[in-house]
Amino acid sequence: MGVVAVVVVVLIIVFFLAMRTSGANDPFQAAAASLGLKLTRSVPDLLPRVEGMVNGLPIRIDIPDRGATARYRAFYPPLGMALRLERETTISRTMGELGQTDTQVGEAAFDNMFKVNTSRPDALQKMMTPQLRRSLVQLLDAYPKMLIEDGGMTYVSDTAEPTQEEIVRITTAMAAAAHQLVGNRPPPLEKPQPRPRPKPAAQPT
């Protein structure tokens, strides 16, 4: 029994030393520390999940399933315009030619680069200031698969093993653009006032 106990203790020590050593070389742990976020891992697959606040917005970086690649998400309160903005592709351009809606903001460089759907085209044009358009062009030029929606941004990378620098760079760029987008949110739609009911006609006496 004494030998077994010693072996168990040695195995535990080796396990924790291995975990500490692997942590020192773990890009998700290093990126989480750099960004001030928290790293947890799923059981039993040990898939990483990094969460916290960046620029005042909730951020999540994870590998959702075995065999999947790193996914980056920034969340914000819904903009109230059913927004979906993504990089224009040959397929989406063809669909536009076939009549699928593509909202334009009036700047050729922006309109040619993005496929935009929204329930409030007028609000979109007002919120897309030159500075915001420039930021979104830079973001999707660097990360063409970035998807911008009414309640958040999502980017799925091509690798399950990003470097610390890559994680920090993507997260920082996405959070900055999301913060700027939220700062330009349009005012909510005014609810129509109910019509007053007509007074019943006076009955003759």
Side-chain angles (χ1 to χ4, degrees):
M1 290 294 296
V3 175
V4 173
V6 171
V7 171
V8 171
V9 170
V10 170
L11 288 175
I12 292 174
I13 294 173
V14 170
F15 173 77
F16 280 103
L17 287 175
M19 290 294 290
R20 179 173 295 182
T21 303
S22 63
N25 299 319
D26 183 349
F28 288 95
Q29 183 173 333
S34 177
L35 293 165
L37 305 178
K38 181 181 179 181
L39 170 67
T40 57
R41 288 188 176 275
S42 65
V43 177
D45 295 330
L46 299 180
L47 298 175
R49 180 169 175 156
V50 178
E51 293 181 291
M53 304 290 286
V54 177
N55 282 356
L57 297 174
I59 297 293
R60 183 181 300 160
I61 309 154
D62 64 358
I63 296 179
D65 301 293
R66 275 194 169 190
T69 58
R71 177 178 61 180
Y72 303 75
R73 288 184 287 178
F75 304 95
Y76 42 78
L79 300 172
M81 52 194 303
L83 178 66
R84 183 182 175 91
L85 186 153
E86 57 193 321
R87 186 74 179 261
E88 184 81 273
T89 64
T90 302
I91 295 175
S92 63
R93 191 172 291 111
T94 301
M95 295 299 293
E97 293 172 355
L98 294 176
Q100 192 178 74
T101 303
D102 183 9
T103 305
Q104 308 285 298
V105 301
E107 181 186 316
F110 186 91
D111 292 334
N112 290 336
M113 185 174 188
F114 294 112
K115 170 73 175 178
V116 185
N117 290 320
T118 179
S119 60
R120 300 175 61 188
D122 293 342
L124 177 74
Q125 292 178 357
K126 291 178 181 178
M127 73 178 288
M128 285 295 169
T129 61
Q131 183 179 4
L132 179 56
R133 292 199 303 266
R134 190 161 48 249
S135 296
L136 295 179
V137 166
Q138 292 173 351
L139 181 68
L140 271 81
D141 191 45
Y143 310 107
K145 293 194 295 182
M146 185 77 66
L147 174 62
I148 300 172
E149 296 181 289
D150 208 65
M153 296 185 180
T154 303
Y155 176 72
V156 179
S157 74
D158 295 324
T159 178
E161 299 180 354
T163 64
Q164 174 195 350
E165 292 76 13
E166 182 181 358
I167 297 170
V168 172
R169 184 173 63 251
I170 294 172
T171 304
T172 302
M174 182 173 63
H179 180 77
Q180 191 173 356
L181 183 68
V182 171
N184 282 32
R185 73 164 53 247
L189 284 172
E190 294 183 2
K191 294 183 179 179
Q193 297 296 323
R195 294 182 178 180
R197 293 182 178 181
K199 294 181 179 180
Q203 298 295 322
T205 57

